Amino acid sequence: MQKLLQLPVNAVNIVKSVQGVAQGQEEALSPVLTPDSGPQNWYSAVQPEELRHLRSGGTGGGGGSGGGEGSEDRPGQEEGLTSVQSQPLRHDDLKEMLDSNKDSLKLEAMKRIVAMIARGKNASDLFPAVVKNVACKNIEVKKLVYVYLVRYAEEQQDLALLSISTFQRGLKDPNQLIRASALRVLSSIRVTIIVPIMMLAIKEAASDMSPYVRKTAAHAIPKLHSLDPEQKDQLIEVIEKLLADKTTLVAGSVVMAFEEVCPDRIDLIHKNYRKLCNLLIDVEEWGQVVIINMLTRYARTQFLNPNINESLLEDSGEKAFYASDDEEDEDKKAEAATLAKRKPYVMDPDHRLLLRNTKPLLQSRNAAVVMAVAQLYFHLAPKAEVGIIAKALVRLMRSHSEVQYVVLQNVATMTIKRRGMFEPYLKSFYIRSTDPTQIKILKLEVLTNLANETNISTILREFQTYIKSMDKDFVAASIQAIGRCATNIGEVRDTCLNGLVQLLSNRDELVVAESVVVIKKLLQMQPEQHSDIIKHMAKLIDNIQVPMARASILWLIGEYCEHVPKIAPDVLRKMAKSFTNEEDIVKLQIINLAAKLYLTNSKQTKLLTQYVLNLAKYDQNYDIRDRARFIRQLIVPTDKSGALNKYAKKLFLALKPAPVLESPFKDRDHFQLGSLSHLLNAKAGGYQELPDWPESAPDPSVRNVEVKDSVIRLLERVTTLTSIPEWSKCTSRKDRKEKKVEKPFYSDSEGESGPTESADSESDSGSGSESASGSEESGSGSESEDSGEESESEEEEEDEEDQKKKRKKLDKTKPKKPVVESAESEQSSGAEDRKRVRKAVKNQKSASESESESESSESDDESEEESEEESESDTDIRKKKAPVSKQPPKQSKKESKKETQEMSLLDLDDFEPSPASAPVTPVNFLSSSLVSDLEGLSLTDTILAPTTIAPSGLIKMYELLHRITGEGLGVEYCFSRQPFSPDPNMVAVQIQFTNNTNSETKNLHIEEPRLQSGMRIREFAEIEVLAAGESVTVVMGIDFCDSTQAANFQLCSQGQKALRFHQKYLNFCSKDAQSTHTRKFFVSIQPPVGELMTPAFLTENDFKKEQGKLMGMNEISEKLTLGGKCVNEHVIVERVTATANLSRVPCGSDKECRFAGKTVSSGCLVLVTVATKDTGGAQLTVNCEKMVIGTMLVKDILQALSQ
Amino acid sequence: MIHSLFLVNASGDIFLEKHWKSVVSRSVCDYFFEALERATEPENVPPVIPTPHHYLINVLRHRIYFVAVIQSEVPPLFVIEFLHRVVDTFQDYFGVCTEAAIKDNVVVVYELLEEMLDNGFPLATESNILKELIKPPTILRTVVNTITGSTNVGEQLPTGQLSVVPWRRTGVKYTNNEAYFDVVEEIDAIIDKSGSTITAEIQGVIDACVKLTGMPDLTLSFMNPRLLDDVSFHPCVRFKRWEAERILSFIPPDGNFRLLSYHVSSQNLVAIPVYVKHNISFREGSSQGRFELTLGPKQTMGKAVESVLVSSQLPRGVLNANLNPSQGTYTFDPVTKLLSWDVGKINPQKLPSLKGSMSLQAGASKPDENPTINIQFKIQQLAISGLKVNRLDMYGEKYKPFKGIKYMTKAGKFQVRT
């Protein structure tokens, strides 16, 4: 009541509030009035407006935080009650403010109203007062009025119409942002009468000059559609128009509209498909998600399954892991089906385009984008390529737990189909005690799915720690997981079973109960061997109280009573005693047990059975009564019982199939991954099925677009600013292909292609100077060698300034057309130069596009434009730059940059552009000496962690087949040092095929391996098609039996006769002279000894212990003098790990470096010690059981270190 | 897409609601409250809750649940990621994202939400653009606003949304041009009972604070970029350039942003900077348990290990702990059974230890689970992976900026099993 007194003295107030105490209190709490202190209210009578404004503080929420608290928790009836009577009061107050002339008061009022809306209070009766202010000049007032309008227009349609004219005026405003915001609000007002106005506005905005307004129009489409679905046809027209839009700003929004309004009109996408693919990387992240999801669906309808043929080859390998039979059957069926219609599969270039353009988005910071790409790859990519998504998905596991939850759900589904993909990341799924339970259980699911013969032991060890967790739900799930591992992997079944039996003596009842249930399932698989376990469990029945566990034990004893003939009747006796106190499921099992015993051992149990059945007859539960009656009739022979009696034994003691413990994620992949439906495992509203692959590909020509280049360019120019980021829109596949063919691969091949390619010489020089500028940058990187200190020294900067000036001067002097000015362009570098180069390359591109012979003339025209199309070709150039950066290290330290450039220019042709489709290939060819130099420098002030240097970067490529001997097929290989997952005893060899011809090469595969005895090869899956200019990387496994003998085999391929004509003739020739033939090349792979091992992780103590075992004959020791560059420990580690695939063993002394590894095939330990002496000498010791390997390794390491 | 958003505080009250399409009654949150009740821990609420007509997707940040109402199929990560972005924006605006801060700034919050979503589809989520549209509240501005009646909403219409560099506004001006980069690495590890590493990974981020005039184009190169195994970028980074040259080339957003986060190749052995010697045991039959813990530095490259904090969830049977720390202070909460020990800096000469006894419930059997020990620490001026920034260059602008790099190593999820 005190509060009542504090109310502002206002006649109306008093009258109203006195009416009811309850309401009065509500008023006091109202956020609008701030009952701060008495006296102020007296003033408010004098100057109500000004003071109220001052009192209420800066923000609207301020009022609410004080008194508003109380009323908040009472929604519903009370709210309704008070609003009737008290609202006129507080709203009068606000209305007054809204009607005033002062913007500040209006603003204050609007802020409070918005605060009310935010708290879910009804403010609808202020509508007339608020809507008047829609034309207010003050932007913030206006915005808040919009907020209000959008919220309440639906309820007050007639009044809302008052505001429409304001928006219509806004739609004509010269400022694009005002046009956009007018459309945005207009379309958000859900009033059916204005549908025609909205329609008109949307149509107009869809052809607006400004892309931003067009984007808003795209947003408005689904709004109108949900308001009035009858407008669908007209809206689809607008969508079609906007889909053709070339700006990244619009793309995401319009695809969103497409998905909401007409997701089934896939035909609208055809013409825009390639454009969408190319724009994708520049679209904002939310748009990317929508577009990728849509394109996944699109691709499923338009392209062929890339795994048609591969499924045949790979399944056989994977099937061995699966124990369940029905799955195999399924596979067989699928195989049969694929066999029937097997024909060579060629990936549609558009399909490839999609895969290629989405791949970079795996690096997005936005988890939704990464997930979208991952599901796209999972559903669309050939099996061999799906693996790349694993790393990105594992990365997301570091994110917030909600993200983890969703990602793990999807990973769980993926691991069922493609286990190999996540196997290398097994440890990332290990569970921490701090994870929320739902995450723990999902991780457990993934771990279980990943388990196979090789890793099961580590996984089981991990599971053992989980069983000790405090989180009981999680412990139960862990036990089930062990059970599943045991059923899936026969080898560990006994181990698991023993482990679970041990758990039976656990103190925690839940653990015991869960183990019993799991053991029951396991025993069903091979009951004969485990009668002792059954006996053990029979003993447990006295102690275990959990009904499910009791029931399980009883069922087990009943089912296998023949294995425990002595115990079973005794158990029945005990149970009969306690029958009345048992739970229902236990009672049912007691009846079952009795019946089974009666059938097998009626002499001992007849009376017991009858006793139990009699008890059951009078049970409270009718299920139990029914069961008892049924069983009595069935087993106890009476004169009435019919023929069924004879079969009682068969009925009860039929052989029951062992249960298959399956993942709950088994069949989830028929939902599109990453979708809500997948997560819930139920179809959500509006979910679009992911269609099955078509039997035969629809006509791909529907995606062809007649490109009016100039128009597009103009459009893009209008919409983009000058400061374009240089990242790229990819060129179409065709351009890429042709360009690659034109590049000379090796310097020695230049002679061949030179003469015929004279017309293209400018493109050559273009790429030449481009890479020169690239190498300039890496040159400046190596510059830090001189300074020898942290990164940015003053000198360098000045140096740079100078350079810039120089560049500018040069640019001024240069004529602005693409001429072959290699001499000049060598010297200049930097951004300007790059542009020029791009131009030059573009000429080449456009030339090949038009396929005309008058290349130079046309390109001159085009080079005038400095448009962002250039960045398209940029993509390709960047790829080429990478290998060039190998150059600088060869320079002596004092050499000037200019020389560096020249050097690299000279050697340029030595390098092959790294192929786009070979993600695993090491792009960095930085020679080890550079690395060591750089790192040596960094060591001056701090000692780096030597163990963390990646040896993987130093992978050396070997040539398997030169492109000349291979008739255009170049093959290189390297030892990737990754574990070869199908067979851990094999060395993984990564082979990269490059097709340098201008025609496709087909059916690349291995034939007739001629191997030394004991050696084995696991071939890579046959490469169906290798398009001209493309490269592909595959991995094969070779078991070298720990010897350096070469593995010989034949590479077979089908291809057209190599045509060495100039590009421009190609189009004519390839049509006429298509003759295919099969080629075979004898090749051999000889491993360096260092590649025959895998790193082994030992502790210092283990190392010493092992070394002690490998003394004498097995120890080879050699003195050496370290090479000039081997200045410190760090370099030594670098060198040794580059020579041999060993891992560093931690070591207390800094004079010694230790490494350990195991031979791949037989797993013999290889221990290497390098002890440095102050004098510069060193002692190298290798301990290895295989003396041959030891000797060879010593030789190799010696050489590496003494360089 | 996103239909409505409800903010729910720790005690289960809805304190803010916002609708983008027609209004959804707040009673839909009852399904959420049900799930909340079922969950034993606050973080165990399932992120996606289906209801008869809607789907509720929620995230928990700063003890506030952000519950989004969805009506039809949408990638759940899309919504989750967006909600997190909303929280990040609030944090950016108000410094903290608490119930009080949101209530105090309810109008700004509303304006932000209005701009971030249009019809449930994200519109402007870049903080640079949002700040142009809606000025973040500062104390000074609040005072000025109350006196002059001016507003938080920008006077000029923003241009950022229209440019091709959507993350940077035009016309940025600074008197001191500076660019700071923080390389922060976190070690995630599980150490087993015997002290050997079960799994260890290094996750790093490079956070930048760039205050440069105009439209600078920066390139950042590393001494040893091959260390980076898996990276994710801010959208400003040119991906192709990275692919080809392993150089980060970008036009930076204005102000603070996360340039890069990376993962260091898991093939490498990770240097573990601390070791723990522990002896936590319970004797059968007695109501006492022994607790001994010693920390020591290991592979720290000569840098000091600071801000060490050890925490451990002791078994439920433990009633109290009577311990004696050689340095720092420890607390034991008998209700949650959480033991935490604020160690401070590790002195290699005198290793910090915590020894003493635990008292158990009398008569109860000894707990069969052993607690895991979580450790937090910081090492300044060291990136444990050995990553080093080589140089930072700027193109496109004339002035010479001040450039700074800081390295730090922290413990991420660092657990020792006992």
Side-chain angles (χ1 to χ4, degrees), chain B residues 160-317:
Chain B
Q161 270 166 303
L162 308 174
S163 85
V164 270
V165 192
W167 53 85
R168 189 177 177 88
R169 61 199 168 97
T170 45
V172 186
K173 272 212 173 83
Y174 287 102
T175 42
N176 293 325
N177 289 296
E178 32 190 30
Y180 297 100
F181 294 86
D182 288 4
V183 181
V184 182
E185 296 196 334
E186 291 193 358
I187 304 176
D188 288 354
I190 302 178
I191 312 285
D192 83 353
K193 215 176 210 158
S194 62
S196 58
T197 312
I198 291 181
T199 157
E201 287 176 328
I202 299 174
Q203 308 277 350
V205 293
I206 299 184
D207 284 331
C209 174
V210 176
K211 293 180 175 171
L212 296 175
T213 307
M215 271 286 173
D217 194 339
L218 304 179
T219 57
L220 184 79
S221 62
F222 297 103
M223 292 270 206
N224 36 11
R226 274 171 298 107
L227 278 178
L228 308 185
D229 178 39
D230 181 41
V231 278
S232 75
F233 302 117
H234 189 274
C236 69
V237 177
R238 286 162 195 145
F239 180 72
K240 297 287 170 190
R241 190 93 190 263
W242 169 259
E243 277 286 272
E245 301 167 63
R246 301 276 142 175
I247 285 176
L248 293 174
S249 157
F250 55 97
I251 294 174
D254 186 37
N256 295 313
F257 65 103
R258 173 154 297 175
L259 178 64
L260 169 82
S261 51
Y262 61 87
H263 176 251
V264 174
S265 162
S266 48
Q267 262 78 30
N268 295 326
L269 280 179
V270 175
I272 306 288
V274 292
Y275 71 86
V276 180
K277 275 191 202 151
H278 52 82
N279 181 7
I280 301 171
S281 59
F282 305 98
R283 251 170 302 151
E284 195 69 64
S286 94
S287 61
Q288 288 285 313
R290 211 164 56 164
F291 189 99
E292 276 181 39
L293 202 68
T294 309
L295 290 174
K298 180 176 132 187
Q299 292 177 295
T300 59
M301 326 297 155
K303 298 278 197 293
V305 184
E306 295 167 7
S307 318
V308 183
L309 186 71
V310 178
S311 62
S312 177
Q313 180 80 45
L314 297 183
R316 249 165 301 194

Side-chain angles (χ1 to χ4, degrees), chain A residues 140 184 398 677 727 777 791, chain B residues 73 114 151 188 235 241 390:
Chain A
E140 187 164 23
R184 199 176 143 196
R398 274 282 292 182
S677 305
W727 59 12
E777 277 171 21
S791 40
Chain B
E73 172 65 45
E114 188 72 29
T151 67
D188 288 354
R241 190 93 190 263
N390 185 17

Side-chain angles (χ1 to χ4, degrees), chain A residues 316-336:
Chain A
S316 51
E318 265 189 32
K319 223 182 297 163
F321 300 128
Y322 287 105
S324 70
D325 293 344
D326 53 344
E327 206 164 323
E328 256 175 66
D329 285 347
E330 270 172 31
D331 283 348
K332 267 179 204 152
K333 263 179 242 160
E335 262 177 51

Side-chain angles (χ1 to χ4, degrees), chain A residues 579 587 591 611-621 624-629:
Chain A
F579 184 86
K587 283 179 179 168
I591 300 174
Y611 174 67
V612 168
L613 288 177
N614 279 335
L615 281 178
K617 196 174 170 182
Y618 299 106
D619 199 89
Q620 282 186 323
N621 188 309
I624 293 170
R625 293 199 302 268
D626 282 355
R627 179 73 67 90
R629 195 173 306 132

Side-chain angles (χ1 to χ4, degrees), chain A residues 419-487:
Chain A
R419 182 178 42 204
M421 210 161 95
F422 287 96
E423 248 176 302
Y425 305 99
L426 185 72
K427 288 189 172 173
S428 307
F429 298 101
Y430 281 4
I431 294 158
R432 291 160 205 280
S433 58
T434 41
D435 288 332
T437 310
Q438 49 186 354
I439 300 287
K440 283 181 186 163
I441 288 173
L442 282 171
K443 279 185 172 175
L444 206 56
E445 173 68 35
V446 173
L447 285 174
T448 317
N449 289 343
L450 287 178
N452 63 18
E453 288 91 337
T454 45
N455 57 23
I456 185 69
S457 57
T458 45
I459 289 184
L460 280 181
R461 205 174 311 134
E462 193 59 24
F463 281 176
Q464 265 166 12
T465 49
Y466 300 162
I467 289 168
K468 290 182 195 143
S469 164
M470 292 179 217
D471 186 342
K472 290 304 165 208
D473 292 339
F474 169 54
V475 173
S478 305
I479 294 171
Q480 281 172 4
I482 294 176
R484 254 178 62 204
C485 287
T487 53

